[in-house]
Amino acid sequence: MTTLSTPRTDLDALADSYDEQGYVLVKGLLSKEEAAEYRARSHELIASLDRGDDPTWDAAAQVAMGRATSLQHLHDAQFYDAAFTRLLTDPRFTDVAAAVLRTPNVQLHHTKMFIKPPENGSPFPPHQDHPFFPHTHHRVAAAIFHFDDAPDAKGCVRVAPGSHLAGPREHDPEGSYHLPDFPVDDLVPLEAEAGDVLFFTYFTVHSSGVNVSDEARTTWLVQFRDPADPPLTDQHTHSLGQGLILAGTDPTGRAGQA
């Protein structure tokens, strides 16, 4: 696979936009061919493992207007297929990750694969990622790799630009941490194409809709952080490979890491 780095000037512009808006959508970080390969590998993994668990939040019913929905997922795909391990350290990804964190050092927190089935793929209500794994300096971010096209009808990610500037918000823990009173009109759908990658802070309010299309929506979520930013709690420490250095070094020598 191609591993070309992004020019420094482009990275600075991406980081500036990220700081201002709380997110940046990087177009074509993967080629269409690469995205298609990862899509196929994702579906093959889900089918071969055949675990049948559904991570749909109870709070998703509010977004789905009471409609029954479903979702397929897999934690830690990099422990099942080496292609995902290679993607974690691909400079096209880690260059942007380092730029938005404003540090050369990038550490893995966890990964999740999501497949929203056609016609009734589960949504996610508005929320921040912060309540699930709060950190001291808040240098924690996510990247969503799109392995197929994600128009609004597929339940694409929606973000509230600038919402990260308000810091942590009080979440309702019922049905998983979410923001039931967050203004829906503040959320902007970020339609994406196969190969695009969305980066956002763990303070950015985001959600996604129901997949009502006739095709699945396939994404891979990678949560990453500055290794010098210690977690405040021992939440979400079960993920395989947490603490792996994806770029640079760990200046703390893994002090205080789970």
Side-chain angles (χ1 to χ4, degrees):
M1 293 183 179
T2 306
T3 55
L4 298 176
S5 298
T6 305
R8 180 73 255 170
T9 52
D10 293 343
L11 290 171
D12 290 341
L14 289 176
D16 289 344
S17 180
Y18 176 93
D19 287 345
E20 179 182 350
Q21 298 294 323
Y23 73 93
V24 63
L25 179 63
V26 180
K27 302 292 294 181
L29 189 142
L30 300 180
S31 70
K32 301 293 186 186
E33 294 75 19
E34 289 173 306
E37 180 181 344
Y38 278 110
R39 183 188 193 280
R41 287 177 179 271
S42 299
H43 286 253
E44 288 168 2
L45 268 180
I46 291 289
S48 64
L49 294 171
D50 192 26
R51 292 177 177 169
D53 54 335
D54 187 334
T56 299
W57 292 3
D58 290 342
Q62 179 180 334
V63 181
M65 307 294 287
R67 178 180 177 181
T69 60
S70 65
L71 189 65
Q72 296 174 301
H73 78 140
L74 175 66
H75 281 264
D76 311 313
Q78 70 275 12
F79 277 80
Y80 298 90
D81 188 325
F84 292 95
T85 306
R86 290 191 292 271
L87 187 52
L88 281 174
T89 57
D90 189 312
R92 293 172 295 177
F93 162 59
T94 58
D95 283 357
V96 179
V100 299
L101 289 179
R102 303 285 186 179
T103 172
N105 307 315
V106 180
Q107 186 178 55
L108 178 65
H109 192 269
H110 69 275
T111 74
K112 293 179 185 175
M113 179 189 297
F114 288 112
I115 298 177
K116 283 192 180 188
E119 299 181 357
N120 68 341
S122 295
F124 283 91
H127 66 282
Q128 296 174 314
D129 290 339
H130 168 266
F132 298 96
F133 35 87
H135 281 60
T136 304
H137 306 299
H138 311 305
R139 293 193 290 271
V140 185
I144 295 180
F145 288 81
H146 295 84
F147 296 148
D148 43 33
D149 292 345
D152 198 19
K154 274 193 176 184
C156 69
V157 179
R158 298 171 179 232
V159 302
S163 57
H164 65 303
L165 298 175
R169 299 168 187 256
E170 189 69 29
H171 285 61
D172 183 347
E174 287 294 320
S176 202
Y177 292 105
H178 66 295
L179 299 166
D181 299 322
F182 191 83
V184 176
D185 290 345
D186 288 356
L187 294 160
V188 178
L190 291 182
E191 295 186 307
E193 297 177 288
D196 295 350
V197 181
L198 172 64
F199 294 79
F200 56 94
T201 81
Y202 84 159
F203 279 156
T204 300
V205 177
H206 60 288
S207 68
S208 68
V210 179
N211 181 6
V212 297
S213 77
D214 58 1
E215 295 180 344
R217 195 205 74 169
T218 312
T219 56
W220 193 41
L221 169 70
V222 178
Q223 296 275 1
F224 58 93
R225 66 187 175 195
D226 178 351
D229 188 1
L232 288 171
T233 70
D234 61 358
Q235 296 169 256
H236 218 297
T237 58
H238 59 279
S239 296
L240 297 175
Q242 188 170 113
L244 179 69
I245 296 298
L246 308 181
T249 62
D250 182 353
T252 74
R254 290 186 60 76
Q257 298 294 336

